[in-house]
Amino acid sequence: MPVHNADIARVFEEIADLLELGDENPFRVRAYRNAARIVSDLRLDIAGELAQGRALPKLPGIGEDLSNKLKEIAATGTCGLLERVRKKMPAGITELLRIPGLGPKRVSVLYRELDVHTPAQLQRAAQDGRLHGLAGFGAKTEQKLLEAAQAHLGQAKRFKLALAAQYAQPLAAALREVSGASEVAIAGSFRRMKETVGDLDILVAAEKSDAVMERFAKYPEVKETLAAGGTRASVVLACGIQVDLRVVPKESFGAALHYFTGSKAHNIAIRKLGQAKGLKINEYGVFRGKRRIAGETEQSVYDSVGLPYIAPELREDQGEIEAARRGELPRLVELADLKGDLHAHTKATDGRNTLGEMAEAARARGLGYLAITEHSRRVTMAHGLDPVRLAKQADEIERLGRELEGIALLKGIEVDILEDGALDLPDAALAKLDLVVGAVHSKFNLPRARQTERILAAMDRPCFSILAHPSGRLIGEREAYDVDMLAVVRKAKARGVFLELNAHPERLDLTDVHCRMARDEGVLVAVSSDAHSVHDFENLRYGIGQARRGWLEKKDVLNTRPPADVRKLLAATMGRGKTRK
Ligand code: DGT
Ligand code: CA
Ligand code: CA
């Protein structure tokens, strides 16, 4: 069975968790976490490369010992160390770490003092009032953990889009190889570019379904078959994701693709429009009485109800049908529209590639400018920059920028927004830069009014260009902080500054709803990779997906503009050039 990078990363992550719970040396723990991150970000099929006898590139922070473990996992899916450390801890205890509010310290207290090692046990202990009084647990913590445990237990597992893609694309590719399969599409929420998917829905057009069904059933990653029939099947892959397959004849493909792309609410609305015209619309086609009048393409389905084609990312029944009817659908931004990237890190802080490597990778992607925005000193974990190191890096960026052709380098910073709304570096240091990206990385739990004031105050500083990941959520891990987003958007408008859509697959923040809010209020959105390595420019694809879900057009996105225009707009946010609106 093929071992994906995500599988290898998971093994390293679990080792790190277990070592940490066992109170191991923090450096050792960090080495495994680092390895997990590197592997999961690497867009190179490690197991595949090794299987073909090719050597891996040198990976930062992965020495001989880790590299041997990497090979062991790539070959076997697990490693001896994991099995050993697992034996020392109750099975499944690492799941507790996924519960918001629980870190290794608290989990080991829970385990040692109460023998709590599953979310269900945590829920029970909190209900019984057994948590408060333990070291580090108050009554408030107990209540919060109870809610968190309940949410965790009630939550069906969803997969982040970029992770789902790692499993979906090879599977779709395998089905494309089957002779007689004329079309293969990954439909459902995946095609609508939702930030997470519950399951994968794959659709194949083929006159005879047998060969497709057989290839699907025998796909090496299938762990369990839930249902299998002549033209449909459902399986669970080894990674835990469920896949539903449908095989349809070519003349139904468009209707089926429309149906299985969803959303359900959009389908129902379209079907109603059909009914009003005396048409029946289902996954087999569009019918007037018994006669099929459309269904080979999605376009033909929309034609039949008198609408223009609606992009999958809009199909949520959130006004897209009305907009289509009025001829006011947005012309959605596309990946190719992006001219540059305004948020990236290098080795100077927690990135993994040098300035030169990042610049060349961005240029190779066709980007015309790249802003380097390291963390500021407050983020000690990432070795954030102080004014001296910032100035030194700015010199390097200047120098390299002059040498390189085809890409402009912008000097920036991802400066921390402190609790009172001050920025983590003095204005004089910031003023020498091309842009300032401000970010909240601490104090996520302030009450709404204070959190909002804090962010608005930061946006009022003389040098402030872009508010990074405005809601602060980590998908599936950390809720957004409580903030009045409309006030933030309006402040951005008033100050002439911008909001980021951070394209990191764990963030995708702004959310779709807030993208629309920004657009409605006339605030430009920067779709930024937050790249920490040369591979991370791939994030932009998912950022664009989210921007499209948020109805953004090319003109709504800051970094679709050519370098000179962006420089001018950014200069204004730095108190230079034309005064702001
Ligand atoms: P997910 O998997 O939870 O991320 O979301 P979806 O949208 O992929 O939902 P899923 O997998 O349950 O179904 C795929 C599509 O099939 C869905 O988007 C619309 C269509 N569909 C499913 N059930 C119904 C239904 O009862 N009525 C209609 N009209 N469409 C349905
Ligand atoms: Ca689905
Ligand atoms: Ca499904």
Side-chain angles (χ1 to χ4, degrees):
M1 180 176 306
V3 177
H4 295 273
N5 290 5
D7 304 321
I8 301 175
R10 209 153 34 223
V11 171
F12 281 139
E13 212 37 88
E14 190 178 343
I15 291 174
D17 285 345
L18 288 165
L19 291 177
E20 195 165 14
L21 290 175
D23 234 357
E24 271 277 347
N25 176 340
F27 290 102
R28 193 157 171 235
V29 172
R30 206 173 305 154
Y32 284 102
R33 287 223 197 282
N34 175 48
R37 238 183 34 173
I38 287 176
V39 167
S40 67
D41 291 350
L42 195 67
R43 294 203 170 68
L44 171 84
D45 173 20
I46 294 177
E49 290 291 300
L50 290 172
Q52 296 187 31
R54 285 201 280 266
L56 295 179
K58 177 141 179 44
L59 301 173
I62 299 203
E64 194 184 336
D65 174 56
L66 276 171
S67 157
N68 287 335
K69 293 205 171 67
L70 183 72
K71 287 176 194 150
E72 186 186 353
I73 303 165
T76 67
T78 180
C79 86
L81 174 66
L82 176 65
E83 303 305 323
R84 282 198 302 282
V85 287
R86 267 185 182 165
K87 287 208 184 88
K88 291 193 197 155
M89 286 284 169
I93 192 166
T94 50
E95 200 185 332
L96 280 182
L97 292 169
R98 308 277 99 80
I99 294 182
L102 283 185
K105 270 208 196 80
R106 281 186 171 158
V107 171
S108 56
V109 172
L110 287 171
Y111 172 50
R112 279 197 322 265
E113 304 286 327
L114 301 176
D115 198 27
V116 161
H117 47 82
T118 67
Q121 290 169 335
L122 173 68
Q123 183 184 5
R124 230 166 300 135
Q127 275 162 347
D128 300 348
R130 284 184 283 141
L131 299 187
H132 69 267
L134 290 177
F137 293 80
K140 239 170 131 185
T141 315
E142 184 171 71
Q143 183 55 34
K144 276 209 171 137
L145 286 176
L146 174 58
E147 285 162 21
Q150 282 164 337
H152 184 89
L153 289 164
Q155 214 171 59
K157 186 162 167 41
R158 296 186 64 86
F159 290 76
K160 285 168 210 148
L161 183 61
L163 183 68
Q166 283 190 31
Y167 297 102
Q169 277 152 359
L171 173 50
L175 296 175
R176 272 189 199 104
E177 285 169 5
V178 178
S179 83
S182 58
E183 308 239 28
V184 176
I186 310 169
S189 49
F190 184 90
R191 184 159 177 250
R192 303 198 313 279
M193 299 291 279
K194 265 196 92 157
E195 54 217 27
T196 62
V197 303
D199 68 8
L200 293 169
D201 306 279
I202 298 188
L203 193 65
V204 178
E207 286 323 306
K208 290 216 190 84
S209 61
D210 309 15
V212 179
M213 299 308 289
E214 185 174 325
R215 183 71 206 259
F216 184 63
K218 294 205 170 131
Y219 188 64
E221 286 174 49
V222 170
K223 183 177 73 178
E224 193 188 346
T225 300
L226 303 174
T231 58
R232 63 177 80 184
S234 287
V235 302
V236 181
L237 300 184
C239 62
I241 201 164
Q242 182 180 322
V243 189
D244 297 337
L245 173 74
R246 278 292 276 269
V247 184
V248 298
K250 198 163 182 291
E251 63 269 22
S252 294
F253 186 74
L257 182 58
H258 183 260
Y259 181 91
F260 289 108
T261 296
S263 65
K264 193 169 157 182
H266 174 88
N267 289 353
I268 291 171
I270 294 291
R271 205 163 51 208
K272 276 210 189 110
L273 286 183
Q275 277 162 359
K277 292 184 187 291
L279 301 174
K280 195 170 109 201
I281 302 178
N282 58 29
E283 64 263 55
Y284 304 103
V286 180
F287 299 88
R288 185 180 297 286
K290 286 226 160 65
R291 199 165 63 86
R292 175 208 302 275
I293 63 155
E296 186 165 349
T297 63
E298 279 192 315
Q299 181 69 61
S300 73
V301 176
Y302 285 110
D303 285 344
S304 74
V305 292
L307 291 180
Y309 180 80
I310 299 176
E313 295 92 335
L314 295 179
R315 299 182 195 169
E316 299 292 344
D317 194 23
Q318 295 286 334
E320 74 278 11
I321 292 172
E322 263 310 294
R325 204 183 352 232
R326 291 198 306 263
E328 290 170 6
L329 280 174
R331 294 176 52 144
L332 299 178
V333 61
E334 292 175 15
L335 186 58
D337 293 331
L338 289 186
K339 300 278 193 310
D341 188 356
L342 296 171
H343 186 156
H345 299 265
T346 76
K347 268 188 161 165
T349 60
D350 62 347
R352 285 187 298 283
N353 289 99
T354 62
L355 177 60
E357 289 164 348
M358 293 301 280
E360 280 182 22
R363 184 174 62 178
R365 283 225 153 216
L367 298 176
Y369 48 94
L370 174 67
I372 302 298
T373 56
E374 306 284 13
H375 289 290
S376 62
R377 56 193 170 187
R378 170 62 60 105
V379 189
T380 47
M381 282 272 290
H383 198 38
L385 301 184
D386 59 19
V388 175
R389 287 175 59 218
L390 176 63
K392 187 168 155 269
Q393 191 194 45
D395 288 344
E396 275 171 49
I397 294 172
E398 284 267 342
R399 202 171 330 123
L400 184 66
R402 274 196 300 271
E403 273 169 33
L404 275 182
E405 299 205 347
I407 187 160
L409 298 181
L410 303 183
K411 298 172 304 224
I413 183 83
E414 179 182 6
V415 67
D416 256 49
I417 297 175
L418 306 181
E419 188 178 351
D420 60 358
L423 300 179
D424 184 28
L425 290 169
D427 291 336
L430 299 177
K432 294 179 187 138
L433 302 173
D434 297 313
L435 77 163
V436 169
V437 178
V440 167
H441 289 127
S442 62
K443 300 280 177 189
F444 301 117
N445 290 327
L446 294 182
R448 182 182 178 88
R450 274 182 60 201
Q451 194 70 276
T452 305
E453 268 170 43
R454 168 198 197 179
I455 293 172
L456 299 188
M459 295 168 87
D460 259 335
R461 302 300 309 162
C463 297
F464 191 101
S465 315
I466 301 174
L467 178 64
H469 38 74
S471 88
R473 65 137 176 213
L474 292 178
I475 297 169
E477 279 161 51
R478 189 172 75 212
E479 292 292 319
Y481 34 73
D482 196 4
V483 64
D484 180 349
M485 196 57 82
L486 185 58
V488 170
V489 171
R490 291 194 167 148
K491 181 61 135 188
K493 176 70 184 170
R495 295 289 288 149
V497 304
F498 311 106
L499 299 179
E500 179 181 87
L501 193 177
N502 187 297
H504 194 286
E506 296 189 348
R507 291 192 181 272
L508 290 172
D509 176 10
L510 289 182
T511 61
D512 48 3
V513 173
H514 293 141
C515 282
R516 274 181 93 165
M517 192 187 272
R519 174 190 134 119
D520 291 345
E521 298 288 327
V523 172
L524 297 188
V525 172
V527 177
S528 300
S529 70
D530 197 358
H532 284 70
S533 82
V534 292
H535 308 289
D536 291 347
F537 294 110
E538 185 69 14
N539 293 352
L540 292 171
R541 177 182 308 284
Y542 299 100
I544 286 294
Q546 173 100 333
R548 290 166 62 88
R549 288 180 60 78
W551 290 52
L552 299 190
E553 304 194 0
K554 182 175 174 183
K555 68 173 168 46
D556 303 319
V557 175
L558 174 62
N559 48 324
T560 57
R561 288 167 172 65
D565 295 9
V566 165
R567 269 191 195 279
K568 213 179 287 166
L569 287 166
L570 290 173
T573 67
M574 301 290 291
R576 295 191 289 267
K578 231 170 46 180
T579 42
R580 298 180 228 181
K581 277 175 265 168

